[in-house]
Amino acid sequence: MAALCRASFFLSFFFWGVCYSPPPLCISRAGKYDYDLVVIGGGSGGLACSKEAAQFGQKVAVLDYVDPTVKGKIKIWGLGGTCVNVGCIPKKLIHQAALFGTALKDAKKYGWQISEPVCHDWATMMEGVQNHVRSLNWGHRVQLQDKKVKYLNFKGSLVDEHTVKGLTKAGKETILTAKNIVIVTGGRPKYPTNIPGAVEHGITSDDMFWLKKSPGKTLVVGASYVALECAGFLTGIGLDTTVMVRSIALRGFDQQMAGLVTDYMETYGTKFAWKCVPKRVDKLSSGALQVTWTDTQTGGEHQDTYDSVLWAVGRAPETKALGLDKLGVKLNQETGKIVLATDESTSVPNIYALGDIGEGRPELTPTAIKAGKLLARRLAGQSAELMNYDNVPTTVFTPLEYGCVGLSEEEAEKRHGKDNIEVYHAFYKPLEFTVAERDASQCYIKVVCKRFGDQTILGLHFTGPNAGEVMQGFAMGFQCGATYSHLSQTVGIHPTCAEEVVKVNITKHSGLDATVTGC
Ligand code: FAD
Ligand code: NDP
């Protein structure tokens, strides 16, 4: 029955897609152009921008095209961009799988009788994850249809400031004209260019989320969001995992918090090769990958073998195919990203860009979505509101999650002076860790405030379970200009980890023990 319903739903969608042609839109200003708006890139920002514009009666087309991964193993994925297919969504689901591993260990202490050995099956997990991703791909197509946005599976490039060329996989060209063009083509993982064997034998996060077989013993090169999250979930599902860090972990984040994240990962079982850089990757006759690396502190050379080498060394903007140079769209020469004004306009009139492709923009889904919606409203003449890129909260989904908003302690000191900031902090123990006898040494809260006056909060940092859920509400307080006294006037919800945030009362200046005792 369920299969029958699914089939009829798919069929009705197919026929609707073939037969339906949208009615003329009453407030479209397309005029001599085919569209009011052509959006290149159907990821987080592009979909949000195109749907919002259509909502205001604009005639909109969105082009989305995925090139196969460098290794060519993973051919393509569906509509939705990085977040849906090879980012936030599969990452968070696999993180959840890893958390279940810890929960299973805890469960025994809570009385659950679990017979050993408990094994994890990669293929089962991936089937579930990919089915969900495909349902999201489908949902996005349906939403575009519902909102009368024309979806075109074309690779887009610019011809002039009102013209886009679309190319199908088979090489068929279509020309589209538009009053405005928005570029939201995101980025793809980088490979290191100077390491023999890196491209031939390594994979990136784009491959990781579509692997049919477990990656096995894995070396993760890099030490930022992608590297630590991937290493965390691989360790969590029981794989032998090493992170190779060339400098520091989580550059740009509060370094005390970054230290807690990696300390926890070490106790969790992730190995770290600190201050090491890979030199070459060779495939042995056994099929194993032999990695040679240099310890930059001692100069010593080391080798080990792995089943997989994951390069998590950053992402490169997808601008190559767009023909931006011909039109004079200004790029940052170092990063290759598009230089943007506060209203997301590029150096060429009628061409806008947002999301990961924008120079200096956070590489996060919610900022791309919000910026896309706001741009659509401005282009449709509905609003003048600009995107506020300050106070963006974020969470690193490592085994011990880390959520934050605002300035790191280092950055607050730099901007305001060490003597002008007050740091309230607490080492707390999540209640759920107690019966499970889990070590809570890295569960920590830090509230960085101005030292004088009303003690405005400059930064809020939290490591612990469900850090994203905890931080979201506090981010709103932060956005409203919360002070330390607002925080301490707030009544906690007991017993939670989040209540520990409103209870912080020990300052770093005092030198007192910040360990929370009692409840
Ligand atoms: P994208 O989502 O990358 O969309 C761009 C789209 O344009 C893609 O579909 C691309 O194929 C297409 N395209 C490219 N060139 C062309 C062309 N010439 N013509 C047509 N189409 C083209 N963010 C979070 O907020 N939370 C997270 O937990 C999180 N986890 C992440 C985990 C990983 C492993 C990664 C890699 C990223 C993660 N991110 C996360 C970041 C988030 O995915 C991105 O910031 C977000 O997807 C950016 O959206 P975008 O619209 O700018 O680009
Ligand atoms: P980043 O650019 O943030 O980090 C790259 C990492 O790779 C750094 O640790 C860097 O070290 C290291 N590195 C670079 N080149 C080399 C090399 N040749 N050899 C060894 N190490 C190298 O990239 P990510 O891919 O981790 O993340 C990209 C963006 O995606 C993030 O900024 C984030 O906004 C987004 N994202 C968000 C997530 C979330 O919200 N939870 C999760 C994942 C991604 P060094 O510091 O020495 O330069």
Side-chain angles (χ1 to χ4, degrees):
M1 185 59 193
L4 202 65
C5 289
R6 256 197 319 271
S8 67
F9 174 63
F10 275 64
L11 275 173
S12 65
F13 180 85
F14 174 76
F15 284 116
W16 191 76
V18 169
C19 308
Y20 178 79
S21 68
L25 296 161
C26 47
I27 56 167
S28 162
R29 299 180 188 89
K32 59 182 174 165
Y33 305 111
D34 302 330
Y35 294 94
D36 293 298
L37 185 64
V38 167
V39 176
I40 310 178
S44 308
L47 290 174
C49 184
S50 52
K51 286 186 287 185
E52 189 77 357
Q55 200 106 302
F56 289 113
Q58 299 261 291
K59 190 176 176 196
V60 187
V62 61
L63 278 60
D64 191 60
Y65 189 90
V66 187
D67 279 319
T69 65
V70 172
K71 293 199 68 165
K73 274 195 177 170
I74 314 300
K75 294 298 178 215
I76 53 158
W77 44 81
L79 187 61
T82 302
C83 182
V84 166
N85 295 285
V86 284
C88 334
I89 300 298
K91 179 279 300 294
K92 182 86 189 287
L93 291 171
I94 303 177
H95 172 62
Q96 182 63 24
L99 293 182
F100 279 133
T102 309
L104 274 169
K105 289 184 196 134
D106 289 358
K108 289 190 213 159
K109 297 266 173 33
Y110 281 94
W112 287 97
Q113 309 284 305
I114 298 164
S115 50
E116 302 283 352
V118 177
C119 300
H120 180 266
D121 182 52
W122 177 273
T124 306
M125 172 182 75
M126 286 317 269
E127 191 188 340
V129 170
Q130 288 167 9
N131 282 345
H132 181 65
V133 167
R134 288 195 184 96
S135 77
L136 294 178
N137 297 148
W138 180 252
H140 282 306
R141 288 191 72 152
V142 173
Q143 279 186 21
L144 290 182
Q145 292 256 20
D146 285 350
K147 296 195 188 306
K148 323 248 183 297
V149 174
K150 183 83 181 161
Y151 162 60
L152 300 163
N153 185 205
F154 293 168
K155 186 169 190 164
S157 60
L158 297 167
V159 178
D160 63 38
E161 65 264 42
H162 292 293
T163 314
V164 169
K165 183 168 81 183
L167 205 60
T168 65
K169 193 175 169 201
K172 186 172 170 281
E173 260 182 41
T174 302
I175 295 292
L176 310 158
T177 60
K179 184 164 184 284
N180 291 303
I181 298 167
V182 182
I183 303 166
V184 208
T185 46
R188 295 295 286 268
K190 283 195 272 201
Y191 275 90
T193 46
N194 54 352
I195 298 172
V199 181
E200 299 90 308
H201 308 310
I203 57 170
T204 69
S205 52
D206 278 2
D207 304 289
M208 172 65 74
F209 295 116
W210 292 88
L211 289 181
K212 293 267 178 283
K213 251 179 59 201
S214 164
K217 180 182 174 186
T218 304
L219 175 68
V220 179
V221 183
S224 199
Y225 274 97
V226 173
L228 295 188
E229 289 185 343
C230 290
F233 68 61
L234 293 176
T235 309
I237 58 169
L239 301 179
D240 182 338
T241 310
T242 303
V243 181
M244 189 166 285
V245 188
R246 74 170 174 187
S247 60
I248 56 169
L250 293 176
R251 181 178 298 287
F253 284 92
D254 187 292
Q255 282 301 296
Q256 184 191 6
M257 304 306 291
L260 295 171
V261 168
T262 53
D263 284 354
Y264 184 90
M265 286 179 73
E266 275 178 318
T267 61
Y268 188 69
T270 312
K271 297 171 196 156
F272 281 83
W274 292 100
K275 307 269 188 257
C276 290
V277 287
K279 203 171 164 198
R280 56 181 303 116
V281 183
D282 297 291
K283 191 163 193 165
L284 305 178
S285 53
S286 62
L289 302 176
Q290 179 178 272
V291 180
T292 308
W293 72 87
T294 308
D295 180 328
T296 58
Q297 282 175 312
T298 63
E301 203 162 275
H302 303 271
Q303 272 184 346
D304 200 354
T305 53
Y306 300 89
D307 300 311
S308 301
V309 176
L310 173 70
W311 301 106
V313 294
R315 297 174 60 78
E318 275 284 275
T319 50
K320 289 176 299 292
L322 293 170
L324 300 175
D325 43 342
K326 279 183 290 173
L327 266 78
V329 174
K330 197 168 163 206
L331 301 180
N332 176 307
Q333 290 311 311
E334 207 179 311
T335 61
K337 293 187 173 188
I338 301 175
V339 176
L340 297 173
T342 50
D343 65 353
E344 325 296 356
S345 59
T346 68
S347 55
V348 174
N350 311 310
I351 300 181
Y352 298 80
L354 56 95
D356 284 9
I357 201 80
E359 177 57 33
R361 301 300 193 232
E363 292 183 17
L364 295 172
T365 276
T367 48
I369 291 176
K370 199 159 184 48
K373 285 187 178 176
L374 290 173
L375 174 62
R377 286 179 208 167
R378 292 196 301 275
L379 293 179
Q382 300 291 321
S383 154
E385 188 186 346
L386 296 175
M387 173 68 189
N388 174 7
Y389 289 101
D390 294 332
N391 311 338
V392 171
T394 185
T395 289
V396 189
F397 295 97
T398 32
L400 186 69
E401 297 175 5
Y402 165 34
C404 62
V405 60
L407 303 183
S408 64
E409 188 175 344
E410 298 90 326
E411 190 57 32
E413 283 183 0
K414 209 154 83 189
R415 292 198 199 173
H416 299 273
K418 194 174 170 52
D419 293 336
N420 295 320
I421 64 161
E422 190 76 277
V423 178
Y424 292 89
H425 67 156
F427 283 98
Y428 71 101
K429 187 159 195 157
L431 181 63
E432 51 271 44
F433 280 30
T434 54
V435 171
E437 294 172 24
R438 275 169 69 184
D439 179 24
S441 311
Q442 289 86 22
C443 293
Y444 182 66
I445 291 157
K446 173 150 94 174
V447 185
V448 184
C449 306
K450 284 189 184 163
R451 189 165 187 194
F452 304 107
D454 59 4
Q455 293 203 304
T456 303
I457 299 172
L458 301 169
L460 202 60
H461 303 264
F462 173 97
T463 48
N466 307 307
E469 312 298 341
V470 171
M471 283 311 296
Q472 186 67 78
F474 286 111
M476 180 176 155
F478 190 84
Q479 181 67 26
C480 297
T483 63
Y484 175 69
S485 69
H486 288 135
L487 198 66
S488 53
Q489 283 162 21
T490 305
V491 176
I493 299 171
H494 189 67
T496 62
C497 295
E499 74 175 316
E500 302 300 341
V501 179
V502 301
K503 282 164 54 189
V504 281
N505 64 89
I506 303 290
T507 65
K508 274 198 175 176
H509 276 116
S510 74
L512 295 172
D513 183 2
T515 308
V516 174
T517 50
C519 65

